[in-house]
């Protein structure tokens, strides 16, 4: 986790493979699949408040929000890990992060999310994005990579492609880094979350 903080310090974004253990990640994936089969997922929307809308041309994932204190022990275990990260981020960067909101996301075959920033227009409450991937058999060629432009504030120039492998965590400053999910050739699962300020 400290390596993650050092990299965040230097670049504003970081990835860590195997950040969440295989067995734990697999259990989260199984919960994600089961909830999907029970029909609990909803088409993801774009925007906030009265501007909230489902837009097929922007994103094609389905989401299920994780309710702190109401989820499974496995979900709570992930939230506990995230809480440790929150404290470390606050200690090191004085960010005043007070809260974490998160949802499971499923991208169907062909699913994508066009380039965007994670702060909604006119808001600054989402400060740090944290994503955990839940794809045990991901192979090069499966698509669904996270493309992250590494120069703060632009969606041109240098970028990195992050493979959505099970147990990998990526985090970045929500308001600074443009990113997109490239079309997935197979179903792709993850937990997306955001540390927030008041
Ligand atoms: C998001 C997002 C990226 C990913 O949920 O806002 O950009 O790799 N997710 O899942
Ligand atoms: Mn995003």
């Amino acid at each position: 986790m400290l390596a993650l903080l050092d990299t965040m310090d230097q670049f504003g974004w970081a990835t860590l493979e195997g950040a969440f253990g295989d067995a734990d990640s697999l259990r989260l994936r199984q919960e994600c699949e089961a909830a999907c089969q029970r029909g609990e997922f909803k088409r993801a929307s774009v925007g906030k408040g009265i501007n909230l809308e489902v837009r097929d041309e922007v994103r094609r994932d389905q989401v299920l929000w994780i309710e702190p204190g109401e989820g499974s022990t496995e979900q709570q275990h992930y939230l506990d890990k995230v809480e440790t990260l929150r404290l470390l981020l606050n200690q090191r960067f004085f960010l005043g992060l007070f809260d974490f909101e998160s949802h499971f996301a499923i991208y169907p075959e062909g699913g994508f999310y066009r380039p965007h920033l994670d702060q909604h227009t006119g808001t600054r409450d989402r400060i740090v994005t944290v994503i955990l991937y839940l794809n045990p058999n991901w192979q090069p060629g499966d698509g669904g990579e996270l493309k992250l432009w590494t120069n703060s504030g632009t969606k041109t120039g240098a970028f990195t492609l992050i493979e959505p492998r099970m147990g990998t965590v990526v985090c970045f400053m929500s308001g600074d880094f443009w990113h997109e999910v490239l079309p997935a050739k197979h179903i792709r699962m993850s937990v997306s979350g955001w540390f927030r300020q008041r």
Side-chain angles (χ1 to χ4, degrees):
M1 206 103 87
L2 290 175
L4 196 85
L5 291 182
D6 287 342
T7 314
M8 279 295 282
D9 199 7
Q10 213 178 339
F11 301 110
W13 64 275
T15 65
L16 189 61
E17 282 176 39
F20 201 57
D22 278 357
D24 292 326
S25 302
L26 197 59
R27 278 193 286 268
L28 271 185
R29 182 187 169 97
Q30 285 160 352
E31 288 181 6
C32 181
E33 282 174 331
C36 183
Q37 267 155 17
R38 290 193 301 268
E40 293 174 12
F41 277 69
K42 291 208 168 59
R43 277 298 313 276
S45 48
V46 182
K48 201 176 179 180
I50 55 164
N51 296 320
L52 199 69
E53 50 182 342
V54 170
R55 287 179 55 189
D56 271 347
E57 75 284 14
V58 177
R59 65 187 293 191
R60 299 229 172 135
D61 55 326
Q62 299 191 18
V63 305
L64 172 64
W65 288 91
I66 293 175
E67 302 297 338
E70 290 174 26
S72 65
T73 46
E74 209 48 59
Q75 290 171 24
Q76 196 51 50
H77 178 52
Y78 181 59
L79 294 180
D80 290 347
K81 275 226 140 186
V82 163
E83 174 63 8
T84 308
L85 180 60
R86 183 182 73 86
L87 297 172
L88 288 169
L89 285 166
N90 278 346
Q91 253 173 33
R92 176 113 174 220
F93 305 117
F94 309 103
L95 289 172
L97 307 172
F98 82 103
D99 175 34
F100 187 70
E101 58 177 6
S102 61
H103 61 58
F104 286 111
I106 299 185
Y107 290 74
E109 201 183 309
F112 55 77
Y113 192 166
R114 296 289 181 227
H116 65 281
L117 288 173
D118 283 350
Q119 281 182 356
H120 298 117
T121 330
T123 68
R124 293 158 143 242
D125 56 340
R126 288 177 167 181
I127 306 300
V128 179
T129 302
V130 182
I131 300 167
L132 166 68
Y133 297 110
L134 301 176
N135 307 294
N137 302 312
W138 190 91
Q139 302 287 329
D142 284 353
E145 294 92 345
L146 173 65
K147 178 172 179 178
L148 184 104
W149 282 271
T150 52
N151 292 321
S152 171
T154 116
K155 50 176 167 168
T156 52
F159 61 82
T160 182
L161 290 179
I162 295 156
E163 300 174 343
R165 282 179 200 286
M166 188 162 84
T168 295
V169 162
V170 53
C171 61
F172 54 88
M173 300 307 292
S174 308
D176 293 343
F177 293 94
W178 284 85
H179 57 283
E180 77 173 313
V181 177
L182 298 179
K185 294 183 185 144
H186 300 283
I187 190 165
R188 173 199 198 263
M189 298 185 197
S190 57
V191 180
S192 285
W194 298 272
F195 287 118
R196 302 190 310 154
Q197 278 174 351
R198 267 179 231 281

